[in-house]
């Protein structure tokens, strides 16, 4: 997957919360796998038959499950949610006698069904046959419907989303990752529509009266959350790679927008077949593009049928940008990597979710760098690492490998620590042991656990064997304990043409900079300015002395492969500022990131990052200027509500960025790098956000001229120009955007307009957007995005509105997101009073042990308030002289 109350809500959020685990974590000394179901029965195969009624938003189902009873029992408990049972029959085998009908007990809170029989069931193989019915939802969980406009009217398509625990909404099943089985699916569908699942169609026949029955080939052994079914008026574009048919499925008429995704998947799949040493095992790999959105995910790695929302995979020439193109490639790379990491080998329980997500993120980055070197994606990796560090340095952080007891807690685990921290740790370990040894260990791991489940220890064992280095201890330091190491460069002494450095390891904490530091074994690479020589060393027991050739300035964490912050003594940092223009782009990014974060946390002067911005040459890499722009946007947010002080900062930031935009210009040049095109968009957006009069005026001019001049708003800048116009919109401009949203028929563009309506600085227009979000007009999956967009400039308003309309807003948010959605609306607030509101909301609506999002919001707001009060005055003083 690619990273976002009344009693009914409590049931949704609290599902499985009271279930006792029947075993402890798979990472514990027992080696047992966590389960919330009795261990007496194991499923082996499911025959599933579905008959959906899209108009009525309901379906009928039949399932015949081959089960092995491992020990005598008189009851069978499996997962089921919002299902109604018509008949349950247990027989010894396919043709054997059936046992008397069982008593059926439904536990809605625990999402289980228990079938109790009059007599004990002896060990052996049985068939469990169930007739049942269920509901089709309108948010992305279970079997759900997405409505969209087309040239010939309103259409409805059906899709499934089963991760983390939503297969149980469609099939009574053992809905946990360790209960792998094979699946054979058939469906009764309207004739003329296209049905898609994990495997190719085996047979299809017309039933008459407007219906057909489609049967799919049997799947490989896999977890329930990877099963997929889609149905609608679809088109499918295909290509071939060896024995694998690659497809992209879109709504009718959409395959032209899928050309890049189709071509990209061919190259990605070829690369993975080679790298993993285990060819992709299914006969086909589809990517199913769907209209709409989710607060929880943008794509899902269903084996053989990846699901991706259109905005993340299709490229519309009327609106898509170079950044969209890169995102489409990286999402395809991420989800395709899951076909091995997650699907072929699956974590035993959600504690080890990172085995899926971190490795898919790492392969995504690695493959992007190899197949598209022109994108300089190694620099983007630094920004990904920083997203993890920002979350990991809060008081609410958690380890990469985390204890998960409930499904609600699983939903919390999909965050930057699971994805980007895990990815950064993998990159650091790969650099430590070497690419070849790392790849060999990965191949051995996949071979050893294919079609099965694993835990983190299994991976470290294979990697250590391949590398011949004791990496498990380092890996466990970074994955089993939370937080971010801080490497202090305390002094530098030159002797005999060499620099002797003293390093001390602490911990970077935004909420508690003085906390007692944990200990990590930290691989550190140091580079000398004098001759570019590098030295690698492991910092252990908190200290290290390193000798580097040459006596000039040095960079600690050269190449930025390490997962830590670097804090230089002031005299040493002054040398870095002086030489900043000559540093490599990737290290410029890392130094900017460290200085910004450490400055606002009070560990370094907050003005050091502004000195670096002054020292950045106009000719610097576009992604370095992207970072400078991002730093300026971040500081500007701290001034929100203090117009005079904010104006002083904005004058400096605008003066620094304007020459870069002048060099880049508003007009693309033929053959320019994508990184330049992305920088152009980011500069216009940032300067517009900072209130640069010339940029706002030019954006408005182009917007008004587009009806007469087709070149006024080029497609790569359309989102950016509209974004500037929307941010500074008055009531008349807002109405124009609203009219455009109502008239638009293309879902990709229509959704964009509704998001724009929600990103105005004018609070009264923000209120109008919030009211609009609760109507049916924007569409079932767009409303939650609108409320979230309002929170960008008005976090307190958005949070108060959402809580005041809790039942209505909850219906607009997909089930996995509900535990996180509301608190995150408040994260940009600078008002201490909102902390109490979040606590009140969490106490009333979030189950115990599942309030991490609330704690994260509170920690973030506390940090922001402290930074604003304690560190902005130093920036004010600096600005008076700059």
């Amino acid at each position: 997957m690619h990273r976002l109350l009344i009693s009914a809500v409590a049931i949704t959020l609290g599902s499985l919360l009271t279930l006792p685990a029947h075993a402890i974590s798979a990472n514990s000394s027992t080696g047992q796998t966590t389960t919330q179901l009795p261990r007496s029965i194991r499923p082996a195969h499911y025959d599933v038959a579905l008959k959906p009624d899209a108009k009525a938003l309901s379906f009928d189902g039949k399932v015949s499950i081959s089960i092995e009873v491992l020990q005598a029992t008189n009851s069978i408990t499996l997962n089921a949610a919002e299902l109604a049972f018509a008949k349950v029959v247990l027989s010894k085998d396919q043709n054997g006698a059936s046992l008397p009908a069982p008593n059926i007990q439904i536990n809605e809170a625990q999402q289980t069904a228990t079938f109790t029989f009059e007599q004990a069931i002896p060990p052996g193989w049985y068939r469990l046959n169930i007739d049942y019915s269920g509901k089709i939802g309108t948010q992305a969980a279970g079997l759900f419907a997405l409505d969209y406009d087309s040239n010939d009217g309103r259409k409805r398509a059906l899709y499934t989303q089963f991760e983390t625990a939503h297969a149980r909404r469609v099939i009574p099943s053992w809905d946990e990752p360790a209960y792998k089985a094979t699946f054979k699916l058939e469906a009764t569908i309207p004739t003329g529509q296209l049905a898609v699942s994990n495997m190719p169609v085996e047979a299809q026949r017309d039933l008459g009266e407007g219906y057909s029955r489609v049967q799919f080939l049997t799947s490989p052994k896999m977890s329930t959350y990877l099963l997929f079914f889609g149905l609608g008026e679809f088109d499918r574009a295909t290509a071939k790679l060896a024995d694998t048919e690659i497809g992209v499925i879109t709504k009718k008429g959409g395959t032209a927008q899928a050309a890049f995704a189709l071509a990209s998947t061919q190259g990605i799949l070829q690369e993975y077949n080679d790298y993993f040493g285990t060819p992709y095992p299914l006969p086909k790999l589809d990517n199913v593009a769907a209209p709409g959105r989710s607060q929880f995910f943008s794509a899902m790695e269903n084996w053989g049928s990846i699901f991706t929302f259109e905005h993340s995979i299709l490229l519309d020439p009327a609106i898509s940008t170079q950044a969209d193109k890169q995102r489409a490639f990286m999402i395809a790379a991420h989800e395709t990597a899951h076909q091995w990491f997650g699907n072929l080998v699956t974590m035993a329980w959600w504690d080890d979710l990172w085995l899926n997500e971190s490795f898919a993120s790492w392969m995504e980055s690695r493959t992007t760098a190899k197949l598209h070197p022109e994108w300089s994606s190694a620099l983007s990796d630094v920004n990904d690492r920083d997203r993890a560090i920002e979350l990991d340095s809060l008081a609410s952080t958690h380890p990469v490998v985390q204890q998960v007891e409930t499904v609600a807690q699983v939903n919390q685990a999909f965050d930057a620590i699971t994805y980007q921290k895990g990815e950064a740790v993998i990159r650091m370990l790969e650099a430590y042991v070497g690419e070849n040894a790392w790849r060999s260990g990965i191949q051995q791991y996949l071979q050893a656990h294919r079609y099965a489940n694993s835990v983190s220890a299994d991976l470290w064992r294979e990697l250590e064997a391949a590398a011949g280095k004791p990496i498990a201890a380092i890996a466990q330091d970074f994955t089993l304990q939370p937080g971010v190491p801080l490497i202090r460069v305390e002094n530098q002494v030159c002797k005999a043409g060499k620099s002797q450095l003293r390093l001390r390891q602490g911990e970077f904490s935004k909420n508690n900079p003085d906390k007692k530091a944990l200990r990590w074994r930290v691989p550190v690479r140091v580079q000398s300015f004098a001759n570019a020589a590098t030295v690698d060393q492991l910092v252990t027991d908190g200290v290290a002395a390193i000798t580097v050739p040459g006596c000039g300035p040095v960079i600690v964490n050269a190449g930025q492969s390490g997962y830590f912050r670097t804090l230089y003594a002031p005299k040493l940092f002054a040398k870095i500022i002086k030489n900043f223009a000559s540093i490599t782009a990737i290290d410029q990014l890392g130094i900017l990131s460290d200085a910004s974060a450490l400055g606002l946390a009070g560990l370094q002067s907050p003005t050091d990052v502004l000195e670096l911005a002054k020292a950045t040459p106009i000719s610097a890499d576009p992604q370095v200027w992207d970072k400078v722009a991002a730093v300026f946007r971040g500081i500007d947010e701290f001034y929100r509500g203090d117009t005079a002080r904010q104006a002083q900062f904005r004058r400096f930031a605008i003066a620094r960025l304007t020459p870069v935009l002048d060099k880049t210009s508003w007009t693309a040049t033929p053959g320019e790098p994508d990184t330049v095109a992305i920088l152009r968009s980011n500069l216009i957006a940032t300067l517009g956000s900072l209130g640069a009069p010339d940029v706002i005026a030019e954006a408005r001019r182009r917007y008004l001229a587009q009806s007469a001049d087709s070149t006024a708003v080029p497609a790569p800048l359309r989102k950016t120009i509209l974004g500037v116009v929307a941010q500074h919109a008055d009531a008349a401009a807002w109405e124009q955007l609203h009219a455009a949203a109502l008239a638009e028929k293309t879902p990709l563009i229509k959704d964009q307009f509704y998001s724009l309506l929600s990103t105005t600085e004018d609070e009264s227009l923000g209120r109008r957007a919030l009211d609009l979000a609760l109507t049916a007009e924007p569409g079932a999956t767009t409303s939650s995005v609108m409320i979230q967009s309002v929170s960008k400039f008005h976090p307190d308003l958005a949070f108060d509105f959402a809580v005041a309309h809790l039942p209505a807003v909850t219906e607009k948010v997909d089930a996995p997101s509900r535990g996180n959605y509301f608190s995150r609306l408040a994260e940009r607030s600078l008002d201490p009073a909102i902390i109490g509101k979040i606590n009140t909301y969490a106490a009333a609506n979030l189950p115990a042990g599942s309030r991490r999002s609330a704690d994260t919001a509170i920690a973030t707001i506390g940090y922001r308030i402290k930074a604003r009060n304690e560190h902005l005055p130093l920036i004010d003083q600096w600005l008076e002289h700059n």
Side-chain angles (χ1 to χ4, degrees):
M1 185 180 293
H2 202 270
R3 74 116 323 157
L4 6 120
L5 289 173
I6 58 175
S7 59
V9 177
I11 290 173
T12 300
L13 296 180
S15 60
L16 303 185
L17 294 176
T18 58
L19 269 178
H22 290 265
I24 56 181
S25 168
N27 293 307
S28 67
S29 59
T30 67
Q32 290 181 304
T33 300
T34 303
T35 178
Q36 295 173 323
L37 296 169
R39 290 181 169 275
S40 56
I41 296 173
R42 180 174 61 201
H45 175 77
Y46 295 79
D47 286 309
V48 183
L50 298 176
K51 185 178 182 181
D53 185 336
K55 184 177 181 180
L57 291 178
S58 64
F59 68 91
D60 292 325
K62 294 177 181 288
V63 63
S64 179
I65 313 173
S66 176
I67 62 174
E68 183 182 10
V69 176
L70 302 174
Q71 59 190 52
T73 179
N74 70 337
S75 67
I76 298 173
T77 298
L78 43 60
N79 293 117
E82 298 184 339
L83 299 178
F85 294 93
K87 184 170 67 172
V88 177
V89 177
L90 182 69
S91 58
K92 178 60 180 172
D93 52 50
Q94 192 70 31
N95 301 312
S98 300
L99 277 68
N103 176 51
I104 302 173
Q105 293 178 305
I106 306 297
N107 189 320
E108 293 182 4
Q110 296 180 1
Q111 297 187 340
T112 60
T114 298
F115 310 135
T116 303
F117 296 85
E118 295 178 355
Q119 62 192 68
I121 308 167
W125 287 94
Y126 297 84
R127 297 290 294 189
L128 178 63
N129 297 287
I130 307 172
D131 294 357
Y132 61 99
S133 59
K135 302 175 183 177
I136 299 174
T138 56
Q139 301 293 335
L143 178 59
F144 63 98
L146 291 175
D147 295 342
Y148 59 93
D149 290 327
S150 72
N151 291 331
D152 57 345
R154 192 77 168 161
K155 302 293 183 181
R156 172 169 290 175
L158 303 181
Y159 309 91
T160 58
Q161 169 60 21
F162 287 169
E163 191 177 31
T164 51
H166 300 294
R168 63 192 63 179
R169 297 180 184 275
V170 181
I171 306 168
S173 57
W174 280 259
D175 193 18
E176 294 180 358
Y179 288 105
K180 285 194 167 186
T182 55
F183 295 82
K184 187 172 182 61
L185 177 65
E186 72 171 45
T188 301
I189 65 172
T191 299
Q193 291 195 6
L194 178 65
V196 58
S197 188
N198 307 76
M199 298 295 287
V201 171
E202 180 181 41
Q204 183 166 344
R205 65 186 182 93
D206 192 337
L207 300 177
E209 298 184 349
Y211 286 94
S212 297
R213 179 166 296 144
V214 58
Q215 295 174 319
F216 298 93
L217 292 170
T218 302
S219 78
K221 189 177 180 183
M222 65 184 190
S223 302
T224 50
Y225 77 90
L226 296 171
L227 188 64
F228 178 77
F229 174 71
L231 176 65
E233 296 181 23
F234 299 149
D235 284 339
R236 182 171 184 253
T238 62
K240 196 79 172 178
L241 179 68
D243 295 329
T244 304
E245 185 175 81
I246 300 170
V248 179
I249 294 171
T250 69
K251 61 184 185 298
K252 282 284 186 183
T255 54
Q257 298 176 357
F260 178 73
L262 186 62
S264 296
T265 303
Q266 284 181 279
I268 291 165
L269 192 61
Q270 178 65 63
E271 173 63 19
Y272 289 171
N273 282 339
D274 177 61
Y275 184 87
F276 290 130
T278 299
Y280 175 73
L282 275 66
K284 63 100 175 176
L285 176 60
D286 280 322
N287 203 317
V288 183
R293 293 176 180 269
S294 166
Q295 290 298 309
F296 190 60
F297 72 107
S298 58
M300 174 59 205
E301 65 268 18
N302 313 296
W303 213 355
S305 284
I306 297 167
F307 173 93
T308 310
F309 286 105
E310 287 182 345
H311 65 87
S312 294
I313 196 68
L314 300 185
L315 299 181
D316 187 327
I319 198 169
S320 296
T321 67
Q322 285 87 347
D324 293 330
K325 181 180 179 181
Q326 292 188 16
R327 175 174 166 79
F329 180 89
M330 296 178 75
I331 287 178
H334 183 101
E335 303 306 329
T336 306
H338 273 310
Q339 307 302 300
W340 285 264
F341 265 95
N343 300 6
L344 183 66
V345 181
T346 311
M347 77 263 150
W349 179 248
W350 300 104
D351 295 32
D352 282 304
L353 176 63
W354 86 287
L355 286 174
N356 286 13
E357 300 301 347
S358 297
F359 275 86
S361 297
W362 165 71
M363 282 300 295
E364 161 198 331
S365 298
R366 179 194 174 278
T367 303
T368 302
K370 181 170 182 180
L371 299 185
H372 286 284
E374 73 277 12
W375 292 347
S376 302
S377 61
L379 277 67
S380 301
D381 295 340
V382 178
N383 294 325
D384 290 341
R385 180 197 66 187
D386 285 347
R387 279 195 287 275
I389 288 178
E390 287 300 294
L391 186 60
D392 201 17
S393 56
L394 293 172
S396 57
T397 189
H398 63 84
V400 173
V401 180
Q402 54 196 299
Q403 184 175 0
V404 173
E405 297 177 352
T406 69
V407 171
Q409 290 175 359
V410 177
N411 295 334
Q412 294 181 143
F414 289 83
D415 63 12
I417 293 175
T418 299
Y419 284 69
Q420 279 77 39
K421 179 178 181 178
E423 176 191 358
V425 170
I426 291 166
R427 188 173 295 112
M428 178 176 67
L429 293 172
E430 182 192 25
Y432 181 67
V433 305
E435 291 183 6
N436 291 336
W438 186 262
R439 179 184 180 187
S440 178
I442 292 296
Q443 291 182 347
Q444 292 172 24
Y445 165 78
L446 291 173
Q447 281 295 322
H449 300 282
R450 60 202 310 260
Y451 300 109
N453 299 86
S454 69
V455 297
S456 295
D458 297 324
L459 176 66
W460 303 138
R461 182 170 55 252
E462 300 296 345
L463 287 169
E464 277 203 343
K469 288 185 177 182
I471 67 166
I474 302 171
Q476 289 168 1
D477 283 352
F478 281 88
T479 60
L480 297 183
Q481 62 184 7
V484 183
L486 175 66
I487 299 296
R488 296 176 182 267
V489 189
E490 294 186 332
N491 63 2
Q492 178 180 1
V493 177
C494 182
K495 289 185 179 180
K498 297 181 179 180
S499 292
Q500 297 178 355
L501 301 178
R502 180 174 177 82
L503 307 182
R504 185 176 298 277
Q505 181 247 300
E507 183 174 350
F508 172 57
S509 172
K510 294 196 294 188
N511 297 113
N512 186 8
D514 300 321
K515 69 170 293 195
K516 183 179 180 181
L518 298 172
R519 283 282 177 258
W520 291 266
R521 280 155 279 208
V522 186
V524 173
R525 173 167 291 176
V526 180
Q527 184 174 37
S528 168
F529 276 59
N531 54 18
T534 60
V535 175
D536 295 321
Q537 188 160 327
L538 195 66
V539 177
T540 58
D541 297 324
V543 294
I546 299 180
T547 300
V548 185
C551 288
V554 297
I555 297 174
V556 174
N557 201 12
Q560 303 302 308
S561 64
Y563 185 80
F564 54 87
R565 290 281 186 215
T566 304
L567 176 60
Y568 297 87
K571 290 183 179 179
L572 300 181
F573 196 77
K575 294 180 182 179
I576 288 177
I577 295 174
K578 185 177 180 180
N579 293 275
F580 192 65
S582 63
I583 297 173
T584 61
I586 196 167
D587 287 323
Q588 286 177 331
L589 270 176
I591 292 166
L592 279 164
S593 297
D594 286 341
S596 176
L598 294 169
L600 290 172
L603 294 168
Q604 185 172 345
S605 171
T607 64
D608 281 349
V609 73
L610 301 181
E611 292 285 0
L612 291 173
K614 285 180 62 177
T616 303
I618 298 295
S619 60
D621 187 282
Q623 292 190 68
V624 173
W625 276 112
D626 283 336
K627 183 63 181 181
V628 173
V631 168
F632 287 168
R633 289 195 303 271
I635 294 174
D636 186 65
E637 275 198 27
F638 286 99
Y639 282 107
R640 190 194 306 124
D642 195 332
T643 305
R645 293 170 69 200
Q646 187 178 54
Q648 183 183 33
F649 171 73
R650 287 183 168 186
R651 283 193 293 272
F652 166 78
I654 291 170
R656 195 72 194 96
L657 294 179
T658 297
V660 188
L661 179 57
D662 290 342
K663 176 178 179 290
T664 307
S665 86
W666 284 69
T667 304
T669 58
E672 70 179 10
D674 282 359
T675 53
V676 172
I678 292 170
L679 174 62
R680 174 182 297 110
S681 179
N682 287 342
L683 287 172
I684 293 169
T686 299
L687 285 165
S689 181
L690 292 170
D694 292 347
V695 170
I696 296 171
E698 178 65 5
R700 285 172 170 164
R701 183 196 71 77
R702 288 172 174 266
Y703 173 67
L704 294 173
Q706 62 183 326
S707 59
D709 180 3
S710 61
T711 66
V713 182
L717 287 180
R718 183 174 182 180
K719 290 180 182 178
T720 304
I721 290 170
L722 290 174
V724 174
V725 170
Q727 180 178 341
H728 300 282
D730 57 15
W734 194 90
E735 288 294 354
Q736 284 183 310
L737 292 169
H738 189 196
L742 288 169
E744 183 58 54
K745 296 298 183 184
T746 302
L748 272 175
I749 301 176
K750 191 179 189 74
D751 289 350
Q752 178 69 20
F753 274 118
Y754 281 107
S755 294
L756 289 168
L757 290 170
S758 310
T759 54
T760 61
E761 288 184 339
D762 187 305
E763 184 172 327
S764 65
L765 295 177
R767 292 182 185 278
R768 290 183 65 180
L770 290 172
D771 290 337
L772 180 62
L774 288 191
T775 70
E777 179 188 314
T781 66
T782 304
S783 297
S784 60
V785 178
M786 291 182 67
I787 298 170
Q788 188 178 52
S789 297
V790 171
S791 74
K792 177 180 179 181
F793 295 116
H794 313 289
D796 304 81
L797 174 66
F799 178 81
D800 288 344
F801 177 88
V803 173
H805 300 84
L806 197 61
V809 174
T810 297
E811 290 182 0
K812 306 290 187 180
V813 180
D814 50 30
S817 305
R818 291 172 184 169
N820 301 326
Y821 179 81
F822 292 88
S823 298
R824 287 177 176 171
L825 296 173
E827 282 188 350
R828 292 174 181 259
S829 177
L830 291 163
D831 183 0
I834 205 166
I835 292 175
K837 294 180 181 180
I838 296 171
N839 273 320
T840 299
Y841 159 78
N845 300 290
L846 298 181
S850 301
R851 55 165 288 158
R852 184 184 295 153
S853 62
D855 294 339
T856 297
I858 290 168
T860 300
I861 294 164
Y863 155 73
R864 290 170 61 82
I865 292 170
K866 182 178 180 182
R868 176 187 175 107
N869 293 341
E870 297 182 8
H871 307 311
L872 282 198
L874 295 175
I875 293 178
D876 294 336
Q877 295 172 20
W878 185 89
L879 289 170
E880 292 175 1
H881 304 286
N882 291 272

